[in-house]
Amino acid sequence: MTNTQQPPPPPPHPPHDQGNSGHGHSHSHGPAAPVSKHLRKVIAAVLIPFSVAVVVGLVVLWPGGAPPHARTGVGFDRQTQQGTVTRVDKVDCKSVNASGETPTGDTSTAEGQSAEQQAKGTCGKATVRVDSGKDTGRTFTEIVQPDSPRQLHGGQKVIVAYAPDAPKELQYSVTDVNRRLPMAVLAGIFALAVVVVGRLRGVMALVALAVSFMVLTFFILPAILQGSNPLVVAVVGASAIMLIALYMCHGLTARTSVAVLGTLVSLLLIGVLGSGFIDWAALTGNTDDNTGLIHGLYPHIDMSGLLLAGVIIGSLGVLDDVTVTQTSAVWELHQADPTMGRRALYRAGIRIGRDHIASVVNTLVLAYAGAALPLLLLFSIAQSSVGTVANSELVAEEIVRTLVGSIGLVASVPLTTALAALVVSADRPGPPSAAAAGPARGGRGRRRKR
């Protein structure tokens, strides 16, 4: 009788579990370590003024569209229409006056071999129909050389350039292949893969991607063309993209706010380093036909500032990945062991970050090298020394872009890890009564906003 009247002993609560009850065992998606109201106020005191400054910058610098100009008919600055190749006939190059003369009779050079091939070869005589614009239905003839890298075939969709000041028979010419359908299919496969794997988070990532393109298209590019400082425009635009993308994809939480702060500090470092080394290396940003055309149309644009703006915007996407990953790692470590102090959290997080640094820096370098591969091939053909190649402005731009971005990425790991460890470890737990009431409510009383 006596034994049956004794209540069962309460389950033991080791100190580790008490720490967990104070910090919550949430079943929501993502890390559940909470942040106290005090720390949320501190983070808000930093980010709210910054967000307001970004909004003010957007309003002040908003361009209202790109300024108009008379088309030059050069490069991308041409009027274009849609077209279709209706048929292609094989003809002798001499019969259509497409054959060239071999210079000095020397066929050992590339130019001489091309001229000889044209003189003895078979050309393509393509009939092309204009499918858009005021001349819809009009046809013209395009001669395709036998050594041309782009050969046309019947039924192929093409882009045709229109030169209104040229003689009527020369107003239209094929300028490129219409790639809209394969590009659209590829984009659809990408979107489907993101949604299938990421589900709701993937949908939000796609929405954030669309918003990023809208900021780039309707704010950054027109504002630069209107004459605003490219660096200021890039900082404001990149900050807007960062705030929208991170909070939209990862939620309005303290964890996301820490990633935003880490990204912001790293972007400032990239901006300072980029500005200093672009000036020191005397990089003009005017290195090819496209930048030359831009400078010719809009001579007021600061081309070196445009180069720096490209460095900042290009680094933003990888920075987001690094800062969010490091912040999440620290949050997960704290949730797994709430007794860890800030130093232990930082050491554990930085070990994860070192692996991330190695892979991300290699990715960035290879991405820039891949984009500049044709240029590097030209230097290889010329048998130029490494010093000569690196000293040329074309390659020096890519080197500065790569190294400045990589320094920012490397610095973002300890910066974000330290900031996340400081925020999580400095959390002020709620009153003991609230923690004690948690188990009686099935855990619901332990949850707090993160």
Side-chain angles (χ1 to χ4, degrees):
M1 291 295 293
T2 304
N3 291 337
T4 58
Q5 291 177 353
Q6 291 180 351
H13 291 280
H16 184 78
D17 290 331
Q18 289 174 359
N20 280 345
S21 67
H23 290 274
H25 274 182
S26 171
H27 294 283
S28 60
H29 295 287
V35 169
S36 65
K37 186 176 180 180
H38 170 74
L39 280 178
R40 292 203 302 272
K41 287 182 178 180
V42 173
I43 294 173
V46 177
L47 286 181
I48 289 178
F50 170 69
S51 302
V52 171
V54 171
V55 173
V56 171
L58 288 172
V59 173
V60 172
L61 297 173
W62 194 263
H69 71 273
R71 289 187 178 272
T72 63
V74 178
F76 292 104
D77 197 37
R78 291 181 287 183
Q79 299 183 41
T80 58
Q81 302 294 343
Q82 310 297 316
T84 303
V85 180
T86 57
R87 60 180 295 176
V88 178
D89 299 318
K90 297 297 183 181
V91 296
D92 185 71
C93 290
K94 289 184 178 180
S95 66
V96 291
N97 296 320
S99 60
E101 296 294 333
T102 305
T104 66
D106 186 5
T107 60
S108 61
T109 64
E111 185 180 2
Q113 292 174 2
S114 176
E116 184 183 32
Q117 186 177 6
Q118 292 174 19
K120 299 180 180 179
T122 301
C123 291
K125 185 178 181 181
T127 302
V128 184
R129 182 185 68 241
V130 180
D131 295 335
S132 63
K134 63 183 182 66
D135 292 328
T136 299
R138 177 177 167 180
T139 60
F140 65 95
T141 300
E142 180 86 5
I143 303 299
V144 183
Q145 302 286 358
D147 59 344
S148 174
R150 183 175 60 241
Q151 297 293 320
L152 303 178
H153 57 81
Q156 187 176 25
K157 299 294 183 179
V158 294
I159 303 296
V160 297
Y162 175 58
D165 298 331
K168 187 173 182 180
E169 64 276 8
L170 300 176
Q171 286 181 334
Y172 285 96
S173 61
V174 176
T175 183
D176 208 344
V177 174
N178 191 332
R179 303 179 179 89
R180 293 184 178 182
L181 180 59
M183 298 294 283
V185 171
L186 182 59
I189 295 173
F190 164 73
L192 180 63
V194 171
V195 172
V196 168
V197 177
R199 298 185 181 181
L200 180 59
R201 189 67 62 88
V203 173
M204 298 307 295
L206 291 177
V207 174
L209 179 62
V211 173
S212 299
F213 273 109
M214 290 176 63
V215 172
L216 182 65
T217 303
F218 296 106
F219 172 70
I220 295 178
L221 299 180
I224 292 175
L225 291 178
Q226 289 282 10
S228 299
N229 187 296
L231 176 58
V232 176
V233 172
V235 169
V236 173
S239 299
I241 291 173
M242 173 185 65
L243 291 172
I244 294 171
L246 286 179
Y247 282 118
M248 185 174 290
C249 293
H250 304 285
L252 193 62
T253 65
R255 180 186 62 186
T256 307
S257 298
V258 171
V260 168
L261 290 173
T263 304
L264 174 61
V265 175
S266 301
L267 280 179
L268 291 176
L269 176 61
I270 290 173
V272 171
L273 285 175
S275 178
F277 280 93
I278 286 174
D279 289 341
W280 192 11
L283 299 178
T284 63
N286 190 2
T287 53
D288 56 24
D289 294 339
N290 293 328
T291 53
L293 179 60
I294 293 172
H295 186 66
L297 293 174
Y298 301 96
H300 57 272
I301 293 179
D302 179 10
M303 299 304 294
S304 61
L306 187 62
L307 172 62
L308 179 57
V311 173
I312 293 174
I313 295 173
S315 302
L316 177 60
V318 188
L319 269 179
D320 287 352
D321 173 45
V322 173
T323 55
V324 169
T325 301
Q326 286 305 114
T327 306
S328 296
V330 173
W331 244 258
E332 288 286 359
L333 288 167
H334 178 69
Q335 185 182 13
D337 184 4
T339 62
M340 292 178 67
R342 68 184 63 174
R343 290 188 178 182
L345 284 171
Y346 176 80
R347 287 195 296 266
I350 206 68
R351 285 195 296 269
I352 299 172
R354 290 191 184 104
D355 291 335
H356 207 181
I357 287 174
S359 60
V360 168
V361 169
N362 194 45
T363 299
L364 192 63
V365 171
L366 290 180
Y368 284 128
L373 197 58
L375 177 64
L376 297 178
L377 282 175
L378 287 177
F379 281 108
S380 179
I381 292 171
Q383 297 182 349
S384 302
S385 65
V386 175
T388 302
V389 172
N391 190 67
S392 67
E393 186 169 1
L394 274 172
V395 177
E397 279 189 5
E398 299 303 323
I399 292 175
V400 170
R401 192 195 313 269
T402 301
L403 296 182
V404 167
S406 298
I407 292 171
L409 288 174
V410 171
S412 70
V413 171
L415 284 172
T416 308
T417 304
L419 187 59
L422 179 65
V423 169
V424 174
S425 62
D427 183 28
R428 291 181 180 178
S433 59
R441 298 178 182 177
R444 289 174 293 180
R446 295 192 300 252
R447 291 186 183 178
R448 288 181 290 158
K449 291 183 180 180
R450 287 176 284 155

